[in-house]
Amino acid sequence: MKKIYLVIFLTLTSSLSMPAATFQEAAEAYKNQNYTEAATIYEAIIKKDGISSEIYYNLGNAYYKSKQYPKAILNYERGLLLSPGDEDIRVNLDMARTKITDKIDTMERSFISIWIESLRNIFSSDVWSVIGIATFLLFLVGIYLYFFTKNLWVKKLGFFGGVILLLISVISNRFAYQQKEKIITRNEAIIMTPSITVKSSPAESGTDIFILHEGAKIKVTDKVGEWSEISIEDGNSGWIPTSKMEVI
């Protein structure tokens, strides 16, 4: 709800280039509990004016309120792609996931990998890029201080500070690349049909392996014709018709 009011405020101050009336109509429809109408307006905004994490958040809220949980999950996930550190989106996504059938266990991961992922998700790729460039420029300042000053304390500061700044720059650029790669690759999707039987091969004649229900998150690993090979977080994999899912 917090961002609904934020959108109204931004609209009134004309800080966005999108049509104010359209935002007002969507917010008003949401306020009046016309959630399906609000979702339709937000979808129209995306088609006409492009995407943003705020629009995906509000669209996800509208679908959640109208009990269209798979679409809510899809749009919350899309919002997180653009703004991975947005806690509001993440909380609402977790709430939406409690409304679907499949509760998929994740494969055991090390504390380090979880911590690194959490750190990477604090900022978007653009923010990490800015941090990477800024710290690299400061690293060059540190190198200058080390080689071109005579004060021993300043030399030490330039050397050790430069090393730390270079490390931060490398990590930041790595995180920026990984975040951007997720946006470009788009190899994750949400099941959009009430239930689907995952097959052992890309054909209806394939052996049934397991069943997924709407709202389940999958990773697409390959495509053959109208079929997609998918995997889920517990390590199971198989084939489903591409038409039964929607890419995040």
Side-chain angles (χ1 to χ4, degrees), residues 29 54 57 66 91 159 164 199 248:
E54 288 81 7
Y57 176 85
S66 60
V91 167
F159 177 79
I164 293 172
K199 302 285 187 176
I248 295 171

Side-chain angles (χ1 to χ4, degrees), residues 18-191:
M18 299 180 188
T22 303
F23 274 109
Q24 288 176 335
E25 290 168 4
E28 192 66 25
Y30 189 96
K31 182 179 178 181
N32 293 331
Q33 300 183 13
N34 297 325
Y35 302 121
T36 300
E37 179 185 347
T40 300
I41 296 172
Y42 284 128
E43 292 279 14
I45 292 174
I46 290 173
K47 289 180 180 179
K48 183 178 183 298
D49 299 289
I51 61 176
S52 71
S53 60
E54 288 81 7
I55 289 294
Y56 280 138
Y57 176 85
N58 290 336
L59 180 56
N61 286 344
Y63 279 130
Y64 181 89
K65 288 293 188 178
S66 60
K67 302 187 186 303
Q68 300 183 63
Y69 301 120
K71 289 186 177 182
I73 291 172
L74 176 68
N75 285 283
Y76 289 143
E77 289 279 9
R78 286 173 173 172
L80 280 180
L81 270 183
L82 302 179
S83 184
D86 194 311
E87 193 61 27
D88 289 334
I89 300 178
R90 198 169 294 279
V91 167
N92 284 18
L93 173 60
D94 289 339
M95 288 176 56
R97 284 174 174 164
T98 65
K99 304 295 185 179
I100 63 175
T101 302
D102 295 325
K103 305 295 187 289
I104 301 171
D105 295 326
T106 58
M107 295 181 68
E108 189 172 340
R109 299 168 56 194
S110 67
F111 168 79
I112 294 297
S113 66
I114 294 174
W115 181 81
I116 290 175
E117 182 177 348
S118 298
L119 178 63
R120 184 182 64 222
N121 287 339
I122 291 176
F123 301 121
S124 66
S125 61
D126 291 340
V127 175
W128 280 120
S129 295
V130 171
I131 294 174
I133 293 171
T135 50
F136 183 75
L137 293 176
L138 291 173
F139 159 73
L140 295 179
V141 173
I143 293 299
Y144 174 84
L145 293 175
Y146 178 73
F147 283 105
F148 298 103
T149 58
K150 296 181 179 180
N151 185 292
L152 181 61
W153 185 86
V154 175
K155 278 182 173 292
K156 289 182 177 180
L157 178 64
F159 177 79
F160 291 107
V163 170
I164 293 172
L165 288 166
L166 179 61
L167 180 62
I168 294 174
S169 178
V170 170
I171 293 173
S172 297
N173 281 291
R174 177 62 178 172
F175 284 172
Y177 171 79
Q178 291 174 339
Q179 295 284 28
K180 183 65 71 174
E181 188 68 15
K182 287 186 68 176
I183 295 175
I184 294 173
T185 304
R186 297 292 182 103
N187 63 349
E188 294 179 319
I190 302 297
I191 298 294

Side-chain angles (χ1 to χ4, degrees), residues 1-16 23-24 27 30 42 52-55 57-58 61 83 86 88-89:
M1 290 299 293
K2 179 175 66 177
K3 292 195 175 179
I4 291 292
Y5 298 125
L6 173 62
V7 168
I8 296 174
F9 175 77
L10 292 175
T11 298
L12 295 174
T13 56
S14 300
S15 62
L16 293 175
F23 274 109
Q24 288 176 335
Y30 189 96
Y42 284 128
S52 71
S53 60
E54 288 81 7
I55 289 294
Y57 176 85
N58 290 336
N61 286 344
S83 184
D86 194 311
D88 289 334
I89 300 178

Side-chain angles (χ1 to χ4, degrees), residues 183-232:
I183 295 175
I184 294 173
T185 304
R186 297 292 182 103
N187 63 349
E188 294 179 319
I190 302 297
I191 298 294
M192 302 303 290
T193 192
S195 66
I196 183 68
T197 301
V198 182
K199 302 285 187 176
S200 62
S201 60
E204 289 291 347
S205 58
T207 303
D208 295 349
I209 304 178
F210 57 94
I211 296 176
L212 288 175
H213 300 85
E214 59 182 359
K217 184 178 179 180
I218 58 176
K219 183 175 183 179
V220 181
T221 56
D222 196 7
K223 287 188 177 182
V224 174
E226 298 180 352
W227 289 77
S228 292
E229 185 179 32
I230 61 99
S231 63
I232 56 178

Side-chain angles (χ1 to χ4, degrees), residues 192 226 240-246:
M192 302 303 290
E226 298 180 352
I240 64 170
T242 303
S243 60
K244 304 300 183 181
M245 65 184 189
E246 192 162 345

